[in-house]
mmCIF file of all heavy atoms in Angstrom:
data_model
loop_
_atom_site.group_PDB
_atom_site.id
_atom_site.type_symbol
_atom_site.label_atom_id
_atom_site.label_comp_id
_atom_site.label_asym_id
_atom_site.label_seq_id
_atom_site.Cartn_x
_atom_site.Cartn_y
_atom_site.Cartn_z
ATOM 1 N N LYS A 232 109.048 81.097 95.598
ATOM 2 C CA LYS A 232 108.640 80.106 96.676
ATOM 3 C C LYS A 232 108.169 80.839 97.985
ATOM 4 O O LYS A 232 108.260 80.215 99.053
ATOM 5 C CB LYS A 232 109.794 79.201 96.987
ATOM 6 C CG LYS A 232 110.551 78.492 95.886
ATOM 7 C CD LYS A 232 109.685 78.149 94.704
ATOM 8 C CE LYS A 232 108.758 77.084 94.884
ATOM 9 N NZ LYS A 232 107.984 76.837 93.640
ATOM 10 N N GLY A 234 104.996 82.150 98.131
ATOM 11 C CA GLY A 234 103.522 82.184 98.206
ATOM 12 C C GLY A 234 102.873 82.718 96.929
ATOM 13 O O GLY A 234 101.673 83.049 96.951
ATOM 14 N N THR A 235 103.580 82.761 95.856
ATOM 15 C CA THR A 235 103.117 83.332 94.593
ATOM 16 C C THR A 235 101.854 82.636 94.094
ATOM 17 O O THR A 235 100.891 83.267 93.756
ATOM 18 C CB THR A 235 104.275 83.191 93.540
ATOM 19 O OG1 THR A 235 105.495 83.461 94.146
ATOM 20 C CG2 THR A 235 103.982 84.079 92.342
ATOM 21 N N THR A 236 101.908 81.247 94.104
ATOM 22 C CA THR A 236 100.762 80.547 93.572
ATOM 23 C C THR A 236 99.484 80.851 94.398
ATOM 24 O O THR A 236 98.421 81.035 93.817
ATOM 25 C CB THR A 236 101.072 78.991 93.680
ATOM 26 O OG1 THR A 236 102.362 78.746 93.139
ATOM 27 C CG2 THR A 236 100.094 78.177 92.903
ATOM 28 N N ARG A 319 108.103 85.549 102.644
ATOM 29 C CA ARG A 319 107.969 84.388 103.495
ATOM 30 C C ARG A 319 109.248 84.246 104.320
ATOM 31 O O ARG A 319 110.362 84.699 103.854
ATOM 32 C CB ARG A 319 107.827 83.131 102.589
ATOM 33 C CG ARG A 319 107.490 81.914 103.304
ATOM 34 C CD ARG A 319 107.276 80.765 102.308
ATOM 35 N NE ARG A 319 106.790 79.575 103.013
ATOM 36 C CZ ARG A 319 106.564 78.390 102.394
ATOM 37 N NH1 ARG A 319 106.813 78.268 101.085
ATOM 38 N NH2 ARG A 319 106.194 77.372 103.048
ATOM 39 N N SER A 327 111.787 75.487 100.550
ATOM 40 C CA SER A 327 110.806 75.276 99.427
ATOM 41 C C SER A 327 111.526 75.350 98.048
ATOM 42 O O SER A 327 111.268 74.484 97.247
ATOM 43 C CB SER A 327 109.719 76.342 99.522
ATOM 44 O OG SER A 327 108.766 76.128 98.557
ATOM 45 N N TYR A 385 103.598 85.519 104.132
ATOM 46 C CA TYR A 385 103.011 84.191 104.075
ATOM 47 C C TYR A 385 102.465 83.815 105.443
ATOM 48 O O TYR A 385 101.303 83.306 105.543
ATOM 49 C CB TYR A 385 104.070 83.219 103.588
ATOM 50 C CG TYR A 385 103.621 81.782 103.323
ATOM 51 C CD1 TYR A 385 103.292 81.380 102.053
ATOM 52 C CD2 TYR A 385 103.671 80.853 104.310
ATOM 53 C CE1 TYR A 385 102.963 80.093 101.789
ATOM 54 C CE2 TYR A 385 103.310 79.546 104.132
ATOM 55 C CZ TYR A 385 102.970 79.155 102.794
ATOM 56 O OH TYR A 385 102.629 77.842 102.552
ATOM 57 N N CYS A 423 90.877 78.960 98.094
ATOM 58 C CA CYS A 423 92.300 79.137 97.851
ATOM 59 C C CYS A 423 93.224 78.541 98.902
ATOM 60 O O CYS A 423 94.431 78.589 98.802
ATOM 61 C CB CYS A 423 92.652 80.661 97.750
ATOM 62 S SG CYS A 423 91.740 81.514 96.461
ATOM 63 N N ARG A 453 103.408 71.693 97.612
ATOM 64 C CA ARG A 453 104.175 70.620 98.333
ATOM 65 C C ARG A 453 103.617 70.404 99.718
ATOM 66 O O ARG A 453 102.727 69.592 99.850
ATOM 67 C CB ARG A 453 105.653 70.972 98.362
ATOM 68 C CG ARG A 453 106.639 69.911 98.771
ATOM 69 C CD ARG A 453 108.043 70.350 98.744
ATOM 70 N NE ARG A 453 108.247 71.459 99.628
ATOM 71 C CZ ARG A 453 108.571 71.362 100.986
ATOM 72 N NH1 ARG A 453 108.712 70.132 101.531
ATOM 73 N NH2 ARG A 453 108.724 72.342 101.791
ATOM 74 N N ARG A 454 103.976 71.248 100.682
ATOM 75 C CA ARG A 454 103.425 71.133 102.055
ATOM 76 C C ARG A 454 102.666 72.286 102.508
ATOM 77 O O ARG A 454 101.702 72.164 103.294
ATOM 78 C CB ARG A 454 104.550 70.837 103.024
ATOM 79 C CG ARG A 454 105.165 69.455 102.781
ATOM 80 C CD ARG A 454 106.226 69.077 103.743
ATOM 81 N NE ARG A 454 105.633 68.836 105.099
ATOM 82 C CZ ARG A 454 106.379 68.306 106.020
ATOM 83 N NH1 ARG A 454 107.579 67.927 105.799
ATOM 84 N NH2 ARG A 454 105.790 68.097 107.209
ATOM 85 N N GLY A 455 103.058 73.474 102.039
ATOM 86 C CA GLY A 455 102.324 74.705 102.409
ATOM 87 C C GLY A 455 102.211 74.979 103.853
ATOM 88 O O GLY A 455 101.102 75.363 104.320
HETATM 89 P P1 LIG B 338 106.750 79.985 92.583
HETATM 90 O O1 LIG B 338 107.707 81.104 93.082
HETATM 91 O O2 LIG B 338 107.492 78.911 91.861
HETATM 92 O O3 LIG B 338 105.546 80.488 91.903
HETATM 93 P P2 LIG B 338 105.340 79.830 95.115
HETATM 94 O O4 LIG B 338 104.013 79.581 94.766
HETATM 95 O O5 LIG B 338 105.816 81.194 95.449
HETATM 96 O O6 LIG B 338 106.336 79.249 93.957
HETATM 97 O O7 LIG B 338 105.738 78.941 96.321
HETATM 98 C C1 LIG B 338 105.383 77.553 96.394
HETATM 99 C C2 LIG B 338 105.137 77.378 97.901
HETATM 100 O O8 LIG B 338 103.844 77.848 98.250
HETATM 101 C C3 LIG B 338 105.135 75.852 98.195
HETATM 102 O O9 LIG B 338 105.571 75.819 99.602
HETATM 103 P P3 LIG B 338 106.288 74.528 100.215
HETATM 104 O O10 LIG B 338 107.362 74.031 99.334
HETATM 105 O O11 LIG B 338 106.834 74.994 101.566
HETATM 106 O O12 LIG B 338 105.199 73.494 100.391
HETATM 107 C C4 LIG B 338 103.683 75.498 98.116
HETATM 108 O O13 LIG B 338 103.328 74.320 98.801
HETATM 109 C C5 LIG B 338 103.021 76.707 98.783
HETATM 110 N N1 LIG B 338 101.686 76.888 98.408
HETATM 111 C C6 LIG B 338 101.055 76.734 97.231
HETATM 112 N N2 LIG B 338 99.757 76.954 97.266
HETATM 113 C C7 LIG B 338 99.477 77.391 98.566
HETATM 114 C C8 LIG B 338 98.340 77.742 99.283
HETATM 115 N N3 LIG B 338 97.114 77.788 98.637
HETATM 116 N N4 LIG B 338 98.391 77.981 100.578
HETATM 117 C C9 LIG B 338 99.626 77.941 101.184
HETATM 118 N N5 LIG B 338 100.791 77.590 100.624
HETATM 119 C C10 LIG B 338 100.739 77.301 99.304
#
Side-chain angles (χ1 to χ4, degrees):
K232 314 324 290 178
T235 322
T236 313
R319 187 178 189 185
S327 181
Y385 185 94
C423 299
R453 194 181 58 90
R454 293 183 69 166

